[in-house]
Amino acid sequence: MGEGRRSRKKCLAYVAAFIVFQTAVILAFALTVMNIKSPKVRFNAMVVESFSSSNSTATSINMKLLTQLTIKNTNFGHFKYGESTLVILHKGVPLGEHVIPKGRTKAKKTQKFEISVDVSTTKASGGELRNEINSGILKLSSQAKLSGKVHLFKVIKKKKSGEMKCDWDINLGTRQVENLNCN
């Protein structure tokens, strides 16, 4: 009879160890794979492709910016997003925009887009813009928000959005983008 009790205790010890092990595996899985994060949207590089200014007013500048937009998805599921708009701003006034088409970024991948944006300062006015143009450094910013869902295992769907806010300067003398900083 003492042998049967030992056998039952051994069996219970194995079952308890198995339960503890399974709990640890499930907890590790939940903390890594199921931790869904927002994708990161950034500008990688930017160049001034074309540039023209009007001699009649000191505030009329037209340019085409060519930039690389990246969407980095760090999740274990793909990120499916809807159509969005990228806006180029000067002190909160929109100077140009580009429509980002709906799409999908695969799990643990970075998707890159080449984007061309027409920018015109005719929409903005004021002494501050005129002063910046006369100084030779034009301070611009951009913002975009990609809203969508992260799909895990084709079962779990979680709403997430990636936001981009970038600031940079355009040196009007050299027509180069300087101090590109994205948050």
Side-chain angles (χ1 to χ4, degrees), residues 45-62:
M46 185 184 302
V47 294
V48 179
E49 191 175 45
S50 64
F51 183 91
S52 64
S53 62
S54 171
N55 292 336
S56 61
T57 63
T59 60
S60 180
I61 292 177
N62 296 310

Side-chain angles (χ1 to χ4, degrees), residues 5-6 10 14 18 20 25 41 46 54 63 67 69 75 84-85 98 105 107-108 115 117 120 131 156 163 168-170:
R5 278 190 178 167
R6 264 192 224 143
K10 245 186 196 181
Y14 287 135
F18 179 74
V20 167
V25 168
V41 183
M46 185 184 302
S54 171
M63 67 183 112
T67 182
L69 180 75
N75 296 302
S84 181
T85 303
H98 180 82
T105 303
K108 294 288 190 182
I115 293 177
V117 183
S120 176
N131 290 341
I156 300 169
E163 292 188 47
W168 70 91
D169 301 334
I170 294 184

Side-chain angles (χ1 to χ4, degrees), residues 9-88:
K9 284 183 181 181
K10 245 186 196 181
C11 184
L12 284 175
Y14 287 135
V15 169
F18 179 74
I19 290 172
V20 167
F21 175 75
Q22 286 297 323
T23 302
V25 168
I26 290 170
L27 185 63
F29 180 76
L31 290 176
T32 57
V33 175
M34 303 300 282
N35 186 13
I36 299 173
K37 298 175 186 158
S38 293
K40 294 173 178 63
V41 183
R42 301 282 183 264
F43 278 147
N44 265 1
M46 185 184 302
V47 294
V48 179
E49 191 175 45
S50 64
F51 183 91
S52 64
S53 62
S54 171
N55 292 336
S56 61
T57 63
T59 60
S60 180
I61 292 177
N62 296 310
M63 67 183 112
K64 183 177 272 194
L65 296 175
L66 184 64
T67 182
Q68 185 181 64
L69 180 75
T70 61
I71 304 169
K72 184 176 182 181
N73 182 13
T74 58
N75 296 302
F76 283 94
H78 68 271
F79 175 61
K80 194 173 184 177
Y81 53 91
E83 188 176 276
S84 181
T85 303
L86 166 74
V87 182
I88 306 293

